[in-house]
Amino acid sequence: MDKFTALEPTRLYSSSTSVQNKRASRAQPIARWIGKLPADIHLLVLNHLPIPDIPAYARASRATAGLSRDEKVWERRWNDLAITRHALDDTLDDLESKQKPKAGTRSRSPPMIPVDPLDDDFGKFASAPRTPSLSAAFTSFAFTDASPGKRTFRARYTRAHSILKKCLAPLQQPPHAVLSALTPLIGTSLLSQARSLRLLNFFLSPRVQPVRNWDILLGALKATTDRFDVSLLTAFDAADSRGDEVMMREAAHASWEVWPGFGDWEMGKVWAEKREILYEQGRWNPLANFTNENTLDFTPMDEFMASVIRALEEHGTRAVLVFPPAAGVLIGFAERVANEVVGEYIAPLLTRAREISNALYLTAVAASFRESWRIVDVLITVSSNFNGKGKDKVEDVVFMMFEPNMDEYLDEEVESLKQAFEVICKEWDRSTLALASHSTSPQAHQTRFLTAQNPALMKRTVLASFTNVLLLPVTIVPRTVGAGVVAVGGAVGGAVGAVGTGMVQGIAMLNPQRWVGGTGSADNAKEYASFGSEGAEGESTIFEIGADEEGGDDGVDDTTASTRDTASIVSASTAATSFATSATKPNLAPTENLDLLLSLDVALQLIHADRDALKRLETFASYPGQYGVRVRETIEEAFCEMLGVLCNRHLEKGFGIATERMNSYKPAEHDETASVAPLLQFFELVHIGDTIQSMVQVFFDKELAPHIDKTDFLNMVVREKKRFENTLDDCVAAGLNAGTQVLMNQVEHIILTLTKPREYYPPEDAPLELGSTKGCTEAIRCLDTHCKLLKGSTSKEVLEVFYQEVGIRLLAILQKHIKRQIISLNGGFQVIADLNAYYSFIASLKAGPSPLLSVAWCLIPCEQVPSITADFSHLKMLGHVFVVEDAKDLAQIVRDVTRYGGAYRPEDIYEFIQRRADWKKIEKTVDKTMYNLSFKEDCIVC
C-alpha cells in the first residue's frame, strides 16, 4: 500500500512562492516508520541479527526487504570478516579459484527461477541448499545487486559468504580428519592453510554468525587450528635443529597467522627458551671485577658482555630473518637476556661494591649501566625496525632491567656528594691550622694577582685552562686497576667517585697549591708532583698563554707587555695567585694573611666532585618516566648543593672574617704609611672571588645548561645560582665598604702625622714653596696605589662607586683637617697648592672597562652620589679665602653664595676663615661688613 498516496488538494491560481515552498517541503526527508518502530531501530536489529535470519526478516514486507539491502548493514558485516583489515583478499581469491569447477564438468547447481528484482524487491532466494547434509543449518540465499557493476559492501559480503560457506562442510568430520578434509579446499602450503583457517575463524565469529550451528563449527575449527599449530611447532623445531631457516620462516609465519592475538605466542617463547645463553650464568663470576686492592677492573665484565653481544647478534639475526616483525620475538628474547643474564650478573657486583665503599658502588652502578647499554647498540644494528620510533622499545629493555637499582643509586649519589663536600671543607680547615702553626712568611712562597703585570690576562688564562679541563673526556667504565676511584687532591679521599685520569690531571694543573707546594699535605704533594712540564730553560710551564683577546693595558706596548706577562705567569712555580689559602681565623694575626681566607683550590675540588657526580648522572639522563624526572632533579640538586657549600662555608665565611679584621685595623699601630696591608689583601681576595664566580659560570654554561632552561627564573638551579651571586656581591660590598673606611683612616693618619704643626703658618722670612706638602703627597700616593690595584678586577660601575665613596670621605677629612689648622697669608698659598693636588688626583680617577666577569656590588645607588669632582673644585676655590688681605673684600667673598655653586653656605665659609692667623684683627670688620653690625659694640648683656 506504500505505492498509493492520497492526492492533496491544490489551490488554483496560487502564487509561485507558495508552490516553491510546498515543493521544498516535499523534498525534505521524513522520518520512516516500519510498523510501530522507526527505521533506526530496525537497522540496529539487523546489525545484530544472524545471517540466516536476514532472509526471513526481508520477507516480512517490502519495507523490511528494502531495509535489509541497506549498505550500513552490510558494511558492518564486511568489516566483521576483517578481510580488508588483515589483508586476506588474496586468500579469499585463492579459495574461490580452488572452488571453480574444472573445464568439461557440469554444474551441479539446481536451476534458478529468474525473477525481476524490480518487481518484488526481494532479490533471488535459492530453492534448495547446495549441501543436503547442512539443510537444517543453513538457509541458502543469494542477493542480486541492482547495480551489477558496482562493488558494494553487500556484494562483497555475498561473494565472501558463498565462498567460505563451502569450506564449512569438512568441519563436520572427526577432529583428526578435519584438516585432511580441508586440504583440498584451502591448499597444501602452510602459509595458505594458516591464512585460510584464520579467515574461517573470522567467518564463524559471534559477530557474524553465518549459519545456525556456528558455535559448534567454531569449536571444531579451533580444535583443528590447535592441531595445526602443534604440527607447525614440531616442524619448526625440526627445522631449527637442522638449521633450515627457510622452513623455520614458513612455519613461524604460518603459526603467527593462526595465533588468536592474546597470551604468549608459543612458538616465539619456545624458541627463546632453547637458547643456551640463558643457562650459562655459571660460566661468569661477577666478583672477578674486583682486584685484590678492592678497586674496580671491568675487564671480566667486558668479556661477559662480549659473549652476550655475540649471542644477541647470532640469535637476533636469525630471529629477524625467521619471525614476523610484529611478533616482537627479538625484543622478548632481549628482555630475557637482559633480566635473566645481565641483570643476574650485575646484582652481586653492586652488592659487593656497596660493601666495600659508597664511592665504589656509585662507580659500579654507572659503569654497569654503560656496559648494559651495549645491548641497545647491537639490537639497533641487527634489526632496521628499531630505527626512529622503534628505538624506544629497545632502550626500554635496558631501562626496565636497571630500574630496581635506580632508587638506591640516586639517593646514594646525593648523600655521597654531601659527604665529599664535608671532607673537602674539613681537609681545608685542617690545612689552614697546619699553615697557621708555622712561622713561615706567606710572601716567601706565593705570588699574588696584584703583583702580576697583567692580572686580567692571568684570569683569562686560568679560565681558558679551566674550560679545557671541563672538555676532557670522562672515563665511566674503569678498564685498569685503580682507575675506578680517584681521590681528588687527597682532600676528597674515598668519598669522591671515579672519573678519568685525564680529568684529575687537568684539575691538578689548575691547582696553585700544588704549584707552590707549601700548604698541602705530603700525600697531596706526591700526587701532584709529576704535573707540569719543564720548559726549554728549565722553568716549569703551567699554562700555555694564548692571544690577549682584549689587548694589553693602555699605554703599554703590545710586544713588551705580552713578553712580561708571559714571563710573570710562566717563570715561577709560585705564579698565579694565593689560591691556596686559609678559611679560619685561629692563630692568625688580626690583620695579617687576609688574602689567605679564600681558596681557589677548594673551589676546584668542589666543582670537581660535583662534575664527577654529574657525569655519572648524565649516564642515566635519557631515562623515561618518573626515573628520568628524578635523574634531572638529582642533577639540579647536586649543583645547588655545591653552590651552597661554596657560598656558605667558604666565600661568605672568608669575606666575613676579612671584613671583621679590617674593621679592627688601627693605622697608628703600623709603621707603613704608603699602603694599607688589610686593604691590599682584601683586593687580592676580590680577585679570587671574581675568579671563583667566573669558574662557576663556566661550569654552569658547559655542564648544567644542557639539562635546564636558563630562562626559567623559577628553576631551582637558576634561583640558587642567583642567590650565590647575590651573596658574593653582598660580601664584596660589605668588605669594600670596610676596606674603604680602613683606607680613609690610613689617609687621615698620614695627613695628621706628616703635616707639621706650622705647615700652613710658616715664619715670615721663610722662602715660599708652592709644592704640595709631604702629608698631601703621601696621602695621594696611598690613595692612587690602592685605586689602581682595584682597577681590572671589578666592573666600571664598581670602580665609579668606589671612587665616589673615596672622594666623599676624603672631602670630609680635608675639611676637618683645615679646620684644625692656623693658616697665615703665606700658608694660604700652601693650602691652595695642596687642594689643587687633591683636585688633580680626583679628576684623574677614571673607571675603565673591566675585561672579566665581576661582582656587581653597590655601596650606595649611583644616582644619589653627587659629582665629587665638582665638590673638590669648590673646595679648591674655598682656599682663596686664606690669601685675601682686605677684610671687606673677604666679607664680600664670604657673602657670595654663587661663588661655590651652592656647595657652601656663608655660615660654613665663616667657620673656615676663623682659622686665619689674623682673624682677631679682621673679625670686627668682617662681621660688620657681613651683618652690618658689630656684636661687641651693639649688643649689651644686662
Side-chain angles (χ1 to χ4, degrees):
M1 298 298 294
D2 292 341
K3 291 185 177 181
F4 302 96
T5 57
L7 295 176
E8 297 180 1
T10 59
R11 179 179 297 179
L12 296 177
Y13 308 106
S14 60
S15 62
S16 58
T17 305
S18 62
V19 174
Q20 292 177 359
N21 294 337
K22 185 179 296 183
R23 290 177 180 177
S25 63
R26 289 179 181 179
Q28 294 177 357
I30 303 175
R32 295 181 56 191
W33 287 74
I34 301 176
K36 296 183 178 180
L37 296 175
D40 294 339
I41 300 299
H42 284 270
L43 285 175
L44 187 62
V45 171
L46 278 173
N47 285 335
H48 296 84
L49 198 65
I51 295 297
D53 294 333
I54 293 181
Y57 176 84
R59 293 188 185 99
S61 66
R62 287 184 178 89
T64 57
L67 196 61
S68 66
R69 293 194 297 270
D70 194 293
E71 279 295 297
K72 295 180 180 179
V73 176
W74 297 106
E75 180 181 3
R76 181 180 181 277
R77 300 293 181 174
W78 173 257
N79 292 333
D80 290 341
L81 289 178
I83 294 177
T84 304
R85 185 166 67 250
H86 295 283
L88 297 175
D89 299 274
D90 295 339
T91 303
L92 189 64
D93 295 339
D94 293 341
L95 292 176
E96 185 180 24
S97 64
K98 290 182 176 62
Q99 294 175 6
K100 288 182 179 179
K102 297 181 180 180
T105 61
R106 296 179 61 184
S107 174
R108 297 181 182 179
S109 301
M112 303 292 293
I113 300 176
V115 178
D116 188 357
L118 301 178
D119 292 339
D120 56 6
D121 290 339
F122 281 96
K124 296 191 298 181
F125 293 89
S127 60
R130 296 189 181 186
T131 306
S133 60
L134 298 178
S135 59
F138 291 90
T139 301
S140 301
F141 64 94
F143 296 103
T144 302
D145 198 343
S147 302
K150 184 179 180 181
R151 295 284 294 174
T152 62
F153 289 107
R154 180 167 172 261
R156 293 178 185 179
Y157 178 82
T158 301
R159 171 177 173 266
H161 184 94
S162 61
I163 294 173
L164 295 176
K165 187 184 65 174
K166 298 177 182 180
C167 300
L168 299 182
L171 297 179
Q172 300 291 331
Q173 302 291 333
H176 64 277
V178 172
L179 192 58
S180 300
L182 280 174
T183 300
L185 298 176
I186 62 177
T188 58
S189 172
L190 294 179
L191 187 58
S192 63
Q193 290 180 356
R195 295 176 67 87
S196 299
L197 291 175
R198 188 180 189 185
L199 182 56
L200 289 174
N201 196 5
F202 291 137
F203 182 62
L204 292 175
S205 64
R207 296 178 61 86
V208 179
Q209 302 182 24
V211 293
R212 299 290 183 187
N213 60 342
W214 64 271
D215 51 348
I216 299 175
L217 296 177
L218 181 60
L221 180 63
K222 288 184 176 180
T224 302
T225 303
D226 293 340
R227 286 177 175 270
F228 179 70
D229 195 19
V230 171
S231 65
L232 290 177
L233 184 59
T234 304
F236 181 86
D237 289 341
D240 187 18
S241 61
R242 64 176 181 268
D244 187 357
E245 293 183 351
V246 177
M247 184 60 189
M248 291 173 62
R249 175 182 175 84
E250 185 177 1
H253 282 72
S255 178
W256 178 252
E257 289 291 339
V258 299
W259 180 57
F262 52 86
D264 294 332
W265 184 36
E266 190 67 21
M267 183 171 290
K269 182 179 179 180
V270 171
W271 175 84
E273 287 179 350
K274 291 185 177 181
R275 302 308 99 188
E276 296 180 356
I277 187 64
L278 300 176
Y279 309 101
E280 295 180 346
Q281 291 90 335
R283 290 179 51 191
W284 313 101
N285 181 19
L287 302 183
N289 293 281
F290 297 93
T291 64
N292 296 331
E293 294 80 13
N294 286 332
T295 57
L296 282 176
D297 178 11
F298 264 43
T299 303
M301 189 169 185
D302 287 340
E303 299 175 358
F304 164 74
M305 288 304 301
S307 175
V308 173
I309 295 304
R310 286 194 299 268
L312 286 175
E313 289 178 347
E314 176 185 355
H315 302 306
T317 303
R318 175 166 291 185
V320 171
L321 180 63
V322 169
F323 297 104
V329 175
L330 180 56
I331 287 292
F333 174 64
E335 289 178 352
R336 294 198 60 180
V337 171
N339 294 320
E340 300 179 14
V341 180
V342 180
E344 294 297 328
Y345 183 91
I346 291 176
L349 188 151
L350 298 183
T351 302
R352 176 56 181 163
R354 185 60 180 271
E355 294 174 355
I356 297 175
S357 68
N358 293 339
L360 204 65
Y361 169 75
L362 298 177
T363 305
V365 171
S368 299
F369 183 82
R370 179 65 62 85
E371 286 287 297
S372 303
W373 196 254
R374 296 169 62 184
I375 296 177
V376 177
D377 300 333
V378 70
L379 291 180
I380 294 176
T381 304
V382 167
S383 176
S384 60
N385 296 326
F386 299 139
N387 294 328
K389 295 182 179 180
K391 186 179 180 181
D392 296 338
K393 297 181 179 179
V394 182
E395 293 178 348
D396 288 342
V397 172
V398 179
F399 288 144
M400 295 179 65
M401 180 270 294
F402 218 80
E403 275 188 3
N405 305 309
M406 289 302 296
D407 288 322
E408 183 180 7
Y409 164 71
L410 293 176
D411 294 338
E412 187 60 37
E413 189 71 73
V414 176
E415 292 300 323
S416 179
L417 190 62
K418 292 180 181 179
Q419 294 175 8
F421 291 158
E422 184 68 22
V423 170
I424 292 174
C425 294
K426 288 184 177 180
E427 175 66 16
W428 180 247
D429 294 341
R430 186 191 61 81
S431 301
T432 301
L433 294 176
L435 175 65
S437 62
H438 296 287
S439 59
T440 57
S441 173
Q443 304 292 338
H445 57 265
Q446 65 182 25
T447 302
R448 298 181 175 86
F449 272 116
L450 303 180
T451 58
Q453 295 185 2
N454 193 340
L457 177 61
M458 183 180 295
K459 285 186 180 180
R460 286 196 297 272
T461 305
V462 172
L463 292 178
S465 301
F466 179 73
T467 304
N468 294 334
V469 167
L470 293 180
L471 298 178
L472 289 176
V474 177
T475 302
I476 297 296
V477 181
R479 305 290 183 184
T480 57
V481 176
V485 179
V486 181
V488 182
V492 184
V496 178
V499 292
T501 306
M503 174 65 185
V504 179
Q505 293 179 355
I507 289 290
M509 292 178 64
L510 285 176
N511 190 344
Q513 185 176 10
R514 314 308 174 196
W515 306 343
V516 301
T519 61
S521 61
D523 295 338
N524 297 341
K526 292 179 181 179
E527 180 178 354
Y528 293 93
S530 60
F531 298 123
S533 57
E534 291 295 322
E537 299 178 2
E539 296 178 347
S540 177
T541 303
I542 304 301
F543 293 118
E544 180 181 358
I545 307 301
D548 188 355
E549 297 178 359
E550 299 182 14
D553 292 339
D554 296 338
V556 181
D557 183 74
D558 294 340
T559 304
T560 58
S562 61
T563 304
R564 290 196 301 267
D565 294 338
T566 304
S568 66
I569 297 176
V570 177
S571 60
S573 62
T574 60
T577 65
S578 60
F579 292 167
T581 57
S582 170
T584 57
K585 57 184 178 181
N587 299 328
L588 293 177
T591 57
E592 290 181 0
N593 300 333
L594 292 186
D595 55 339
L596 303 181
L597 292 173
L598 289 185
S599 169
L600 187 59
D601 183 47
V602 171
L604 287 170
Q605 293 182 18
L606 293 175
I607 294 175
H608 184 193
D610 185 63
R611 184 175 185 266
D612 290 348
L614 178 61
K615 290 304 179 182
R616 288 193 296 267
L617 289 168
E618 282 181 350
T619 308
F620 307 93
S622 59
Y623 236 102
Q626 61 174 351
Y627 286 108
V629 175
R630 280 205 60 191
V631 168
R632 288 187 288 273
E633 290 177 351
T634 306
I635 290 175
E636 296 178 0
E637 184 180 358
F639 182 75
C640 293
E641 187 69 25
M642 185 270 293
L643 287 182
V645 172
L646 182 60
C647 177
N648 299 330
R649 300 195 57 180
H650 194 62
L651 292 177
E652 191 173 8
K653 184 178 180 180
F655 276 109
I657 296 174
T659 302
E660 292 178 3
R661 295 185 183 177
M662 283 192 297
N663 289 331
S664 64
Y665 178 79
K666 297 180 180 180
E669 299 176 356
H670 302 272
D671 297 334
E672 177 63 32
T673 59
S675 64
V676 182
L679 187 57
L680 291 178
Q681 295 167 6
F682 185 81
F683 285 165
E684 183 73 19
L685 219 58
V686 172
H687 279 283
I688 298 175
D690 183 71
T691 306
I692 290 177
Q693 181 186 355
S694 300
M695 290 169 56
V696 170
Q697 183 65 42
V698 170
F699 179 68
F700 174 80
D701 293 336
K702 296 292 183 180
E703 303 292 347
L704 265 296
H707 302 284
I708 65 170
D709 181 10
K710 294 191 294 184
T711 61
D712 182 10
F713 62 90
L714 295 178
N715 183 270
M716 179 175 62
V717 173
V718 176
R719 288 187 299 167
E720 187 66 22
K721 180 174 175 290
K722 188 65 176 178
R723 189 187 73 85
F724 169 79
E725 294 172 350
N726 292 338
T727 302
L728 183 59
D729 294 347
D730 295 340
C731 292
V732 173
L736 283 180
N737 186 36
T740 304
Q741 186 61 43
V742 170
L743 175 62
M744 301 318 297
N745 291 341
Q746 180 73 19
V747 170
E748 185 175 12
H749 175 72
I750 292 174
I751 294 175
L752 289 176
T753 56
L754 297 184
T755 301
K756 299 178 182 179
R758 300 193 61 175
E759 193 77 57
Y760 302 117
Y761 189 17
E764 294 294 336
D765 56 348
L768 184 62
E769 296 181 2
L770 297 181
S772 302
T773 62
K774 183 178 181 182
C776 174
T777 304
E778 291 297 323
I780 292 176
R781 186 164 69 90
C782 178
L783 288 172
D784 185 61
T785 301
H786 293 85
C787 289
K788 288 182 178 179
L789 290 178
L790 189 60
K791 188 176 182 179
S793 63
T794 55
S795 64
K796 180 179 179 180
E797 292 77 9
V798 173
L799 287 175
E800 288 179 352
V801 174
F802 178 74
Y803 293 160
Q804 292 281 6
E805 192 68 17
V806 168
I808 292 173
R809 300 187 186 190
L810 178 61
L811 188 66
I813 291 173
L814 293 178
Q815 292 175 354
K816 183 179 178 181
H817 175 64
I818 292 174
K819 292 179 181 180
R820 285 197 296 257
Q821 306 298 320
I822 298 178
I823 305 172
S824 64
L825 291 177
N826 291 338
F829 291 102
Q830 189 65 57
V831 171
I832 293 175
D834 288 351
L835 293 179
N836 287 337
Y838 286 120
Y839 172 79
S840 299
F841 164 72
I842 294 298
S844 67
L845 295 180
K846 295 180 181 180
S850 176
L852 284 177
L853 294 172
S854 60
V855 290
W857 61 278
C858 183
L859 296 175
I860 53 177
C862 295
E863 62 271 11
Q864 297 180 2
V865 179
S867 176
I868 197 64
T869 305
D871 289 344
F872 272 85
S873 176
H874 298 151
L875 182 64
K876 181 178 66 172
M877 294 294 297
L878 184 63
H880 296 169
V881 299
F882 299 109
V883 297
V884 177
E885 295 184 9
D886 186 43
K888 294 183 179 181
D889 294 339
L890 179 62
Q892 294 297 330
I893 293 175
V894 173
R895 293 180 61 182
D896 188 4
V897 180
T898 60
R899 184 181 183 88
Y900 306 102
Y904 298 99
R905 299 174 301 173
E907 292 82 358
D908 299 330
I909 303 176
Y910 190 83
E911 293 181 5
F912 283 102
I913 63 176
Q914 289 179 348
R915 308 315 303 169
R916 289 173 58 114
D918 57 350
W919 174 245
K920 295 299 181 180
K921 298 179 181 180
I922 66 175
E923 180 181 7
K924 293 181 181 181
T925 306
V926 172
D927 290 344
K928 186 175 182 180
T929 304
M930 287 184 61
Y931 306 108
N932 200 20
L933 56 84
S934 176
F935 291 106
K936 292 184 178 180
E937 296 178 357
D938 299 340
C939 296
I940 300 174
V941 180
C942 298

